[in-house]
Amino acid sequence: MFELLYTSVVPAGFSEQELVDLLEKSRSKNKQHGITGMLIYHNREIMQILEGNRGEVEALFQTIFEDDRHKSVDVFYQGEIEHRSFTDWSMAFKLLDDKLISAITSGYEGHDKNISPIHMIKNSPNRGMKTFIDLRDNF
Ligand SMILES: Cc1cc2nc3c(=O)[nH]c(=O)nc-3n(C[C@H](O)[C@H](O)[C@H](O)COP(=O)(O)O)c2cc1C
């Protein structure tokens, strides 16, 4: 089992409907390929975790990497895992609003309001994973 976490940026004008369509298609394809995970969206920034068999995750990520709908695709963590964290989700989704952001960042000393929350989270891979788990369990 393998996990890969990355961030990217969608262009201005990328609509909510496009995101919904993308998620719908991703979920049915992920089911076929045994991929699970979560996608977080905030102000044009994406953060996604993909988990599954290593070959499947790497093949999917290659497709995602080449997708024109986003840019600055940047892997900030990948590695072997013993268990999935998102067993029941073909692709969970969270839109980060101000309330969620302050819940995630409260008490976090590294939090700088001038830095986007996704950027801040990815600066620390442990923090990135913790955010996904917090969002899975608490919101
Ligand atoms: C931000 C982002 C996240 C994506 N996540 C997934 C995903 O989890 N699963 C998936 O199958 N495709 C995902 N895609 C879409 C793929 O890049 C690609 O378009 C799709 O897998 C191609 O499917 P098709 O070959 O059946 O047309 C994502 C694309 C973007 C831009």
Side-chain angles (χ1 to χ4, degrees):
M1 237 4 103
F2 191 72
E3 69 182 7
L4 184 150
L5 285 71
Y6 78 89
T7 55
S8 68
V9 182
V10 296
F14 187 86
S15 69
E16 213 164 285
Q17 189 56 47
E18 285 173 276
L19 192 59
V20 169
D21 291 346
L22 187 153
L23 275 166
E24 232 169 68
K25 193 162 179 214
S26 296
R27 284 175 176 147
S28 73
K29 239 191 109 182
N30 290 352
K31 251 181 230 159
Q32 292 165 27
H33 292 268
I35 300 275
T36 51
M38 177 184 254
L39 190 148
I40 298 174
Y41 180 84
H42 175 255
N43 195 20
R44 290 177 46 204
E45 284 187 288
I46 301 267
M47 180 158 135
Q48 191 177 21
I49 175 171
L50 304 170
E51 49 185 29
N53 292 333
R54 184 174 190 143
E56 293 283 5
V57 170
E58 288 178 341
L60 172 60
F61 179 69
Q62 191 54 37
T63 309
I64 292 176
F65 184 78
E66 289 165 7
D67 196 314
D68 296 337
R69 286 173 288 185
H70 57 173
K71 60 187 174 64
S72 310
V73 181
D74 181 22
V75 175
F76 67 97
Y77 181 77
Q78 58 183 320
E80 301 285 342
I81 45 171
E82 286 196 10
H83 309 286
R84 293 172 191 263
S85 300
F86 293 90
T87 318
D88 300 330
W89 287 269
S90 55
M91 192 48 63
F93 174 66
K94 290 286 175 187
L95 195 94
L96 290 190
D97 56 15
D98 290 347
K99 204 172 129 224
L100 272 184
I101 290 165
S102 63
I104 294 166
T105 54
S106 68
Y108 179 52
E109 307 226 346
H111 182 43
D112 174 348
K113 286 211 162 76
N114 297 313
I115 298 177
S116 86
I118 287 183
H119 198 82
M120 179 203 79
I121 290 161
K122 97 175 198 189
N123 281 339
S124 150
N126 286 341
R127 178 110 200 124
M129 195 59 215
K130 184 177 177 309
T131 302
F132 280 115
I133 300 297
D134 278 355
L135 289 169
R136 181 196 69 186
D137 294 343
N138 299 315
F139 303 102

